[in-house]
Amino acid sequence: MLFQRTAILSNGIRRIDNLDAFFPETASFFYYRTHPFGGFDSVIGWGKKSTAASAIALSERCDLPYIAIEDGFLRSVGIGATNEPAIGLVIDPVGIYYDANSPSLIENLINHPDWFDEQVKRRAQQAITLLCTLKLSKYNCFDANPPKLDPSAVLVIDQTLGDASVTLGGSDQADFDAMLQAAIDHDSEATVYVKQHPDVLLGTKQSYLQNHPLLSHPRVELLRGNPNPWDIFAQIDAVYVVTSQLGMEAIFADIPVFCFGQPFYSSWGLTTDTKPVARRKKTACKHLLFAAAYFEYSRYVDPITGKATTFEQAVDLIHDQRHQAQQRANRSLSVHFSLWKKGFMPHYLHYNHERRFVRQLKPRHLEQIDEQTEVVSWGQHSAAIKVKLDRIAHHTRVEDGFLRSVGLGSNLARPCSLVLDKRGIYFNANAPSDLEHYLQNSAFTPYLLNRAERLHQAILDASISKYNDASFSDAARLPDHKKTILVVGQVEGDASIIYGQSSFQTNRAFIETVRAKHPDAFIIFKPHPDVVVGNRKGAVSKEVTDRCADLLLEKANLIELVRQVDEVHVMTSLVGFEALLHGKSVTTYGLPFYAGWGLTHDNLTCERRTTKRNITELVAATLLLYPCYVHPEAHTICTAEHIVSWLSANKGRQQKVSLRTRFFRLFKPKA
């Protein structure tokens, strides 16, 4: 059904980001309290809670459709109270899922599953596996460390006092009393764990089982903190609920569920029910329940693009946002950051993060650092600074990511990605890094590998590189009768050469060695862009390039050039990684992060790197697990796929330069 004008009475609904994308069937919205003159053909409100009473009354008075809106079953990382944009919402023109007194859209979908075919079932099977593997729930800001439960255990879910899903789910205090007693009686040897609502733990709300007499039972324990429910499901024998959504997630985890209320997922043959709902006549499978709840009933909008998206893409975003949030401490002390970098660094830290910037790390700062404080610094440092930083337990080093920007970092192009490494930094082969740890130790999941394959192909299709500078022209045609080798120059004195154990410290020595080893090859020398524009040192004299190179290309399109050559030779340059993405033979003369895994021809070895990896695993670690991505326009954590899409759309454009950046360029010191 299409609506021309939909009335809103709630300020909360007015503030929902991308509301029009969630409601494509509505042409326009208007706030009824400031424009109460009619002309609308529908009303939306927040479910059937007390806050929606005026909206429901208006729809009844005007005999217009009422559309209920609620948080989706897969909403976001943080809770709505933190003003985190909703990725998933449910839209119901029939009723609302937690009101068992009347039908709802999800109830109708399950009762009449004409839409549910084998293709939808296969998608639901894959999605359930995905949800279980990634341990995603409605909200996803759980404690990092899972609790260890007793070998025989059952779980009881408490809920907040007066919650609409309880009162409209045909339940009251007596049902919670009966549920807790039944859980105790379930097994005379089992420990009964009671999970309280996070709001109760914070002291902002009360619950039905709070201070309950049976909590003193010797086999009853309160679960502390806010653990991930999937970590609990792996350790329990049964789940007892009244109407909590966790009961539905337990069904997907194949845990027996006992319902003492009338939640929307009960009475379909998937739960043991004390209060069956007569309207629910269908015997459903868990795949039908999942598809109805997450595919048909829920809607997803990407807060980065502001456009409707799929369940699977919503999963990618929430997974990545949670992964980044889990990497950050509660507070940070950032040391030795330039004024320009201070402008974008806060976007790479958690939204609820306390941060300070200091120019120098002084003794008083060291005294203030505790277990909740993360010291953040850029790259490597002088020996004197390193001594201070090595004394700190929580030290994170920051560097540019591998899908960085449109334009050069030395020209102060804002980065789309950074790496924040707790062990070391990827270009320092003298010590382990988080990236090396991923490649050496990780057992990559099918989800991550499938995603890495798609990302790899997207990079190839869009011809994405680190800098994506549109000013570079295409390379000249190369000879067909000779082996062609691309020799990639670097900035001399660059940290990746110093710490990457390169066999050479100068571009001259590097190109002379390659020529000596391959006297009959057609050699192309490509200087580093920063050297070409004069921002960094590393120029090679014309006499040397004339003698050692058949072709000097200063402004070649790097990706087109890589595609045309047979081999790529590097000291430690990232171009070697990009050449691997394009299936090229790569020879290294140092120890870049991608060397030592069986993918390159290496002149040096690293004893720590003993695992053999394929290109998909390298992409998964390097581009999905290791970096943090921030969208250059939305300024919020996003996915690698977002950045590839944005770089593809913008690499041919001249980027706008802010007055702030122009100021920093004027006073930027020369290398």
Side-chain angles (χ1 to χ4, degrees):
M1 183 180 294
L2 298 178
F3 301 107
Q4 290 301 312
R5 301 187 75 204
T6 298
I8 301 173
L9 282 74
S10 163
N11 275 319
I13 294 178
R14 285 178 71 194
R15 289 193 293 266
I16 292 176
D17 292 330
N18 308 307
L19 186 62
D20 55 339
F22 280 111
F23 282 89
E25 61 269 74
T26 296
S28 63
F29 299 93
F30 72 98
Y31 188 46
Y32 178 77
R33 298 189 189 281
T34 57
H35 299 83
F37 305 114
F40 51 91
D41 51 11
S42 58
V43 181
I44 62 173
W46 202 260
K48 288 193 176 180
K49 296 184 172 71
S50 58
T51 53
S54 57
I56 295 172
L58 177 64
S59 69
E60 292 175 348
R61 186 168 66 249
C62 299
D63 194 23
L64 294 175
Y66 173 74
I67 306 170
I69 183 172
E70 276 283 358
D71 284 335
F73 305 124
L74 179 72
R75 185 197 185 276
S76 54
V77 175
I79 60 176
T82 62
N83 295 321
E84 186 165 353
I87 296 173
L89 293 177
V90 299
I91 314 296
D92 196 326
V94 178
I96 193 64
Y97 67 89
Y98 52 75
D99 183 5
N101 299 308
S102 58
S104 64
L105 177 59
I106 191 170
E107 188 176 288
N108 291 347
L109 287 166
I110 300 173
N111 263 332
H112 307 286
D114 300 339
W115 53 275
F116 185 72
D117 56 22
E118 283 301 315
Q119 184 177 355
V120 176
K121 183 178 181 179
R122 284 193 300 271
R123 184 187 174 202
Q125 288 173 325
Q126 295 169 352
I128 289 174
T129 301
L130 191 59
L131 213 63
C132 297
T133 301
L134 301 183
K135 300 179 181 180
L136 294 182
S137 187
K138 182 175 185 176
Y139 307 111
N140 296 278
C141 46
F142 302 111
D143 298 340
N145 299 318
K148 185 170 178 57
L149 307 185
D150 291 340
S152 178
V154 297
L155 179 67
V156 172
I157 309 297
D158 194 8
Q159 291 178 252
T160 55
L161 195 63
D163 185 79
S165 72
V166 175
T167 57
L168 295 177
S171 307
D172 55 22
Q173 180 66 55
D175 296 300
F176 283 87
D177 299 341
M179 173 181 66
L180 183 53
Q181 184 62 61
I184 294 172
D185 297 338
H186 177 91
D187 184 338
S188 61
E189 301 296 325
T191 302
V192 178
Y193 289 96
V194 177
K195 186 182 186 304
Q196 294 183 302
H197 194 279
D199 288 341
V200 177
L201 297 173
L202 291 173
T204 58
K205 291 185 179 180
Q206 294 183 321
S207 70
Y208 287 95
L209 295 180
Q210 192 173 17
N211 303 318
H212 197 282
L214 287 176
L215 294 181
S216 61
H217 191 281
R219 287 192 293 109
V220 174
E221 290 187 24
L222 283 176
L223 274 177
R224 302 298 176 185
N226 185 29
N228 191 313
W230 295 98
D231 289 328
I232 303 173
F233 293 156
Q235 305 179 67
I236 60 173
D237 302 319
V239 173
Y240 283 77
V241 299
V242 175
T243 60
S244 170
Q245 180 185 320
L246 291 185
M248 177 178 67
E249 293 173 356
I251 292 172
F252 303 141
D254 295 323
I255 305 294
V257 177
F258 297 85
C259 293
F260 286 75
Q262 295 176 321
F264 67 94
Y265 53 83
S266 69
S267 301
W268 305 111
L270 297 169
T271 55
T272 301
D273 308 312
T274 61
K275 296 183 175 183
V277 180
R279 293 189 310 274
R280 301 171 188 174
K281 303 181 183 300
K282 178 76 177 178
T283 298
C285 65
K286 69 177 183 179
H287 305 107
L288 172 57
L289 173 64
F290 188 97
Y294 289 87
F295 297 162
E296 298 296 318
Y297 194 52
S298 298
R299 300 182 183 185
Y300 305 95
V301 168
D302 187 332
I304 311 298
T305 64
K307 297 179 180 179
T309 189
T310 64
F311 166 83
E312 290 81 3
Q313 290 170 324
V315 164
D316 290 346
L317 179 56
I318 291 175
H319 172 264
D320 286 7
Q321 288 180 332
R322 184 184 65 180
H323 176 68
Q324 291 304 321
Q326 289 173 340
Q327 306 306 306
R328 307 276 69 81
N330 292 335
R331 293 185 295 274
S332 68
L333 182 68
S334 299
V335 185
H336 302 287
F337 279 82
S338 66
L339 288 174
W340 175 63
K341 290 173 181 174
K342 288 180 185 178
F344 59 74
M345 270 306 298
H347 299 302
Y348 287 88
L349 303 174
H350 193 250
Y351 64 88
N352 198 26
H353 189 98
E354 299 176 26
R355 50 191 174 269
R356 290 176 58 206
F357 289 90
V358 296
R359 296 186 63 181
Q360 296 182 351
L361 194 61
K362 297 181 178 179
R364 60 184 174 86
H365 296 134
L366 294 174
E367 294 173 0
Q368 296 169 358
I369 295 171
D370 57 22
E371 287 294 317
Q372 299 298 315
T373 303
E374 177 183 28
V375 175
V376 181
S377 64
W378 192 276
Q380 293 293 127
H381 301 281
S382 66
I385 298 171
K386 187 175 183 298
V387 168
K388 290 183 178 180
L389 292 174
D390 285 347
R391 294 165 54 190
I392 300 166
H394 302 287
H395 175 209
T396 296
R397 296 167 183 84
V398 182
E399 261 293 346
D400 284 334
F402 311 115
L403 302 174
R404 187 195 183 281
S405 54
V406 174
L408 301 176
S410 63
N411 284 336
L412 304 185
R414 189 186 185 100
C416 297
S417 67
L418 296 177
V419 298
L420 293 90
D421 197 312
K422 294 179 181 295
R423 289 181 174 85
I425 196 68
Y426 68 89
F427 56 75
N428 184 3
N430 299 309
S433 66
D434 286 348
L435 178 53
E436 185 179 283
H437 177 78
Y438 288 138
L439 288 167
Q440 178 66 22
N441 300 295
S442 292
F444 298 106
T445 63
Y447 160 75
L448 200 65
L449 294 177
N450 290 336
R451 194 174 161 196
E453 285 183 352
R454 295 194 303 270
L455 178 65
H456 184 185
Q457 189 60 51
I459 290 171
L460 298 183
D461 292 343
S463 299
I464 297 299
S465 63
K466 182 175 183 178
Y467 294 113
N468 305 284
D469 197 318
S471 65
F472 292 168
S473 59
D474 288 337
R477 181 175 177 80
L478 304 180
D480 297 328
H481 61 283
K482 282 187 175 183
K483 178 172 68 176
T484 54
I485 297 176
L486 171 62
V487 177
V488 183
Q490 290 182 244
V491 174
E492 292 177 3
D494 185 75
S496 70
I497 295 179
I498 297 172
Y499 295 101
Q501 300 182 8
S502 174
S503 303
F504 314 104
Q505 295 298 311
T506 66
N507 289 314
R508 173 176 177 164
F510 176 36
I511 191 174
E512 287 178 339
T513 299
V514 177
R515 171 52 76 191
K517 288 188 173 185
H518 302 274
D520 298 324
F522 187 90
I523 293 179
I524 306 113
F525 179 59
K526 172 69 176 65
H528 192 281
D530 285 344
V531 175
V532 173
V533 300
N535 290 338
R536 298 286 189 267
K537 65 178 181 179
V540 178
S541 69
K542 186 176 186 300
E543 181 271 328
V544 173
T545 55
D546 288 346
R547 175 165 47 87
C548 298
D550 297 287
L551 182 62
L552 172 67
L553 288 175
E554 293 186 336
K555 293 188 176 182
N557 183 302
L558 188 58
I559 297 302
E560 291 301 319
L561 184 56
V562 166
R563 285 172 172 166
Q564 294 180 63
V565 301
D566 298 312
E567 299 178 9
V568 175
H569 288 230
V570 299
M571 290 184 278
T572 59
S573 172
L574 182 66
V575 176
F577 171 67
E578 294 173 341
L580 288 176
L581 295 182
H582 287 266
K584 297 299 178 177
S585 172
V586 176
T587 300
T588 65
Y589 295 80
L591 283 174
F593 66 88
Y594 50 86
W597 310 108
L599 295 168
T600 51
H601 305 285
D602 303 320
N603 285 275
L604 300 176
T605 59
C606 178
E607 293 181 355
R608 295 187 309 272
R609 302 176 186 178
T610 59
T611 305
K612 298 305 177 185
R613 294 298 188 185
N614 59 39
I615 189 63
T616 302
E617 292 168 329
L618 181 65
V619 170
T622 305
L623 298 181
L624 290 176
L625 290 178
Y626 190 47
C628 178
Y629 296 95
V630 168
H631 197 273
E633 295 172 356
H635 301 311
T636 189
I637 298 292
C638 65
T639 65
E641 292 86 348
H642 281 116
I643 295 304
V644 168
S645 177
W646 187 88
L647 291 174
S648 177
N650 288 274
K651 66 179 180 177
R653 301 178 185 175
Q654 184 68 35
Q655 299 301 298
K656 293 182 179 179
V657 180
S658 68
L659 291 175
R660 176 188 175 91
T661 301
R662 290 176 185 173
F663 171 81
F664 290 131
R665 283 181 181 174
L666 287 174
F667 296 98
K668 179 171 66 68
K670 292 291 183 182

